[in-house]
Amino acid sequence: MLTVSNLSVQFGKRILFDEVNTTFTQGNCYGVIGANGAGKSTFLKILAGEIEPTSGRVFLEPGKRMSVLNQNHNMFDEHTVLETVMMGNKVLYAVKAEMDALYADYDDKNADRIGELQVQFEEMNGWNAESDAGAMLSNLGIGADMHYTLMSEMEGKMKVRVLLAQALFGNPDVLVMDEPTNDLDFETISWLENFLANYENTVIVVSHDRHFLDSVCTHISDIDFGKINHYSGNYTFWYESSQLAARQKAQQNKKAEEKKAELEEFIRRFSANVAKSKQATSRKKMIEKLNLDEIKPSSRRYPAIIFEVEREAGDQILHVQNLAASIDGEVLFKNVDLNMAKGDKVVVFSKDSRATTAFYEILNGKQQPDSGTFEWGITTTQSYLPNDNSEYFTDGSLNLVDWLRQFVKTEEERDEVYVRGFLGKMIFSGEEALKKCTVLSGGEKVRCMLSRMMMIRANVLMLDEPTNHLDLESITAFNNSLKNFKGSVLFTTHDHEFAQTVANRVLEITPNGVIDRYMTFDEYLEDDKIQEMRKKMYS
């Protein structure tokens, strides 16, 4: 059991947490959510002992072990991959290191101490530690040929997986993770979801991946108004119930009986959805404890992302034939053919993010293909959200109103009230709209780019990793807007929920060709024949 008592955190005049009292119990997975700046990462660092609170304390039950996903990717550069994983269990690793040192300088005087250490080591299942660490690495896509490689020689994305294995290693009593799915592919995330959904100890996690939170969480820990409140259920239940609570609060004249009936129907519907879930684990017992009485309207602000089209497109959207691209002689993709029809919402998918980015850059005329052609339908207008938007924010003289004015089509649209309307939808109101465009955070830049796209009113949207840098509120609003968008969409995302709920077609581009299927993203990942084909495409 992990207990937080009278916890307060203050930076200058800003109070982040005010007398927080809460408990994290064994067998539960807590998804910590909150608006940007609410203190999610700070709270995890306090739990891990990396930051001292202004007042209060964190108490971990004696004899229990906490493991934290390390954010310093270079900390273990002098160690091998396997050794780095084993260091996740500090006590076991310390015993092993002392034993190894005593064996290396063996003396009869050391015999008794070695015997004591061997007993400890055996009690901790130490003799299986290397094989357990190796199995964990293999499950995360790091083969045996890399287990004795120095961490300094591993590329960044692989280091992330090693540090994840380190955090999971040795069955810690409390597992604390900040954004564990970053830089992981869908297959690895799926393995992690299944691992955590069946994990019997306590998990505390911050993530912007809603599918991940829905798959693993028994509780949502909401940071709001300087407090932390636990709610039974996963993220979708919390989101939908908080929206329902907000609507009911606004309907002051609604009778109590009607409100109660609405709440009961909501719980019945949610329970039915969970019962159909393919991840029917013991964690789904949370359904029995769902209680809407404790849910309160959130203070969150959700951007109003509404994509309208200036004119409806015809039947022909995009024709791509034999498209190919490479970097420094390395093939990114080839033999890409695509006939995109009206209403298609295509998730463009690849194991190499450079391939998908090159695909969009070619379609937008920013890069020349090695071979092949593409042709847009004559009734189409396109709008593009690039993965790297830095080129749009270089003029330090522009505030956000003037920045957005660059993209208006008519003189009437230059009107400040008109421009501020689009910025206001993206939560840039009042003085916020006068900020210089060069001082924006990553999330603020994406919200500006969305304002620009909404203003263009294109009937085809191209989105390269659109959820990068966005908070959960913006991601949820963005996702909902694309589901309702009347035009066509080409998009690439690492957000599973985004891919599953928006796309009606999957296009995977590989160095050896393309796989193109009209189906949902989950159907694509679960089709055995397609998975066999994918292996061949990347070999």
Side-chain angles (χ1 to χ4, degrees), residues 259-328:
K259 288 187 177 182
K260 183 179 179 182
E262 189 176 18
L263 295 176
E264 290 174 345
E265 172 56 29
F266 173 79
I267 286 184
R268 276 196 297 273
R269 177 169 59 83
F270 186 83
S271 299
N273 288 341
V274 170
K276 294 176 184 176
S277 172
K278 293 180 181 178
Q279 298 191 334
T281 69
S282 58
R283 289 195 181 280
K284 297 307 179 186
K285 292 179 181 178
M286 66 184 186
I287 254 329
E288 300 166 5
K289 301 178 181 179
L290 291 180
N291 179 12
L292 270 174
D293 294 338
E294 57 188 23
I295 294 284
K296 301 177 180 65
S298 171
S299 68
R300 307 284 201 285
R301 291 194 299 166
Y302 290 82
I305 304 175
I306 305 169
F307 293 111
E308 297 176 338
V309 298
E310 190 165 47
R311 67 170 180 172
E312 187 176 342
D315 292 334
Q316 298 300 317
I317 302 298
L318 173 65
H319 177 63
V320 176
Q321 189 169 12
N322 199 33
L323 208 64
S326 61
I327 294 180
D328 298 327

Side-chain angles (χ1 to χ4, degrees), residues 419-489:
V419 174
R420 277 180 175 266
F422 282 92
L423 291 170
K425 291 175 183 177
M426 291 296 104
I427 324 181
F428 293 111
S429 55
E431 293 299 312
E432 285 283 302
L434 299 178
K435 292 172 69 170
K436 297 296 183 183
C437 72
T438 51
V439 301
L440 302 177
S441 68
E444 287 173 328
K445 287 180 179 178
V446 174
R447 285 192 275 127
C448 280
M449 294 293 288
L450 292 176
S451 299
R452 168 184 170 272
M453 295 182 77
M454 288 160 54
M455 181 176 279
I456 292 172
R457 298 192 293 277
N459 52 34
V460 180
L461 305 180
M462 285 175 283
L463 312 166
D464 189 3
E465 294 293 353
T467 63
N468 282 1
H469 307 296
L470 292 181
D471 56 23
L472 273 170
E473 293 72 48
S474 297
I475 292 171
T476 302
F478 198 172
N479 197 160
N480 290 338
S481 73
L482 288 183
K483 287 193 290 186
N484 297 322
F485 180 56
K486 301 302 182 185
S488 301
V489 186

Side-chain angles (χ1 to χ4, degrees), residues 79 99 165 193 200 205 286 366 401 524 532:
H79 300 276
M99 265 199 317
E193 286 173 352
E200 296 180 352
V205 60
M286 66 184 186
K366 295 176 177 292
V401 172
Y524 185 86
E532 285 300 316

Side-chain angles (χ1 to χ4, degrees), residues 38-240:
K40 300 183 292 293
S41 293
T42 298
F43 182 67
L44 262 57
K45 288 178 180 177
I46 290 171
L47 294 182
E50 297 174 17
I51 295 178
E52 287 295 323
T54 305
S55 62
R57 65 190 290 258
V58 175
F59 176 76
L60 179 63
E61 189 177 336
K64 302 296 185 182
R65 183 171 73 87
M66 178 187 291
S67 182
V68 181
L69 178 59
N70 200 300
Q71 301 294 323
N72 184 347
H73 297 173
N74 301 317
M75 179 178 286
F76 304 95
D77 277 0
E78 296 180 2
H79 300 276
T80 66
V81 166
L82 193 66
E83 190 178 22
T84 299
V85 174
M86 293 177 64
M87 291 170 79
N89 188 334
K90 294 179 181 178
V91 176
L92 183 145
Y93 184 78
V95 170
K96 180 179 182 301
E98 186 179 351
M99 265 199 317
D100 291 343
L102 291 174
Y103 275 126
D105 188 26
Y106 185 79
D107 188 294
D108 287 343
K109 297 177 182 178
N110 298 335
D112 289 344
R113 179 56 181 164
I114 289 174
E116 293 172 6
L117 293 170
Q118 286 179 333
V119 171
Q120 291 182 47
F121 200 60
E122 186 167 355
E123 288 175 348
M124 291 185 286
N125 197 31
W127 303 115
N128 294 320
E130 285 198 14
S131 60
D132 290 346
M136 183 75 70
L137 286 166
S138 296
N139 285 328
L140 289 168
I142 299 175
D145 58 319
M146 289 188 280
H147 291 182
Y148 293 95
T149 303
L150 284 175
M151 284 288 284
S152 59
E153 298 173 13
M154 300 288 285
E155 63 176 29
K157 290 185 178 181
M158 286 299 178
K159 280 187 176 182
V160 170
R161 298 185 185 204
V162 176
L163 294 176
L164 180 58
Q166 181 191 71
L168 301 176
F169 177 69
N171 198 38
D173 301 288
V174 179
L175 179 59
V176 178
M177 299 185 293
D178 193 353
E179 297 293 354
T181 63
N182 281 0
D183 294 317
L184 300 183
D185 58 28
F186 287 112
E187 290 87 354
T188 308
I189 293 173
S190 179
W191 176 86
L192 181 60
E193 286 173 352
N194 290 325
F195 180 90
L196 293 178
N198 293 288
Y199 197 64
E200 296 180 352
N201 294 331
T202 304
V203 181
I204 304 170
V205 60
V206 169
S207 176
H208 285 91
D209 187 326
R210 295 159 299 156
H211 186 274
F212 179 77
L213 292 176
D214 278 350
S215 297
V216 305
C217 290
T218 61
H219 295 74
I220 292 298
S221 303
D222 183 28
I223 300 178
D224 210 0
F225 304 108
K227 302 292 186 182
I228 299 177
N229 292 301
H230 300 317
Y231 299 108
S232 297
N234 59 19
Y235 176 77
T236 295
F237 178 78
W238 173 86
Y239 169 73
E240 292 188 5

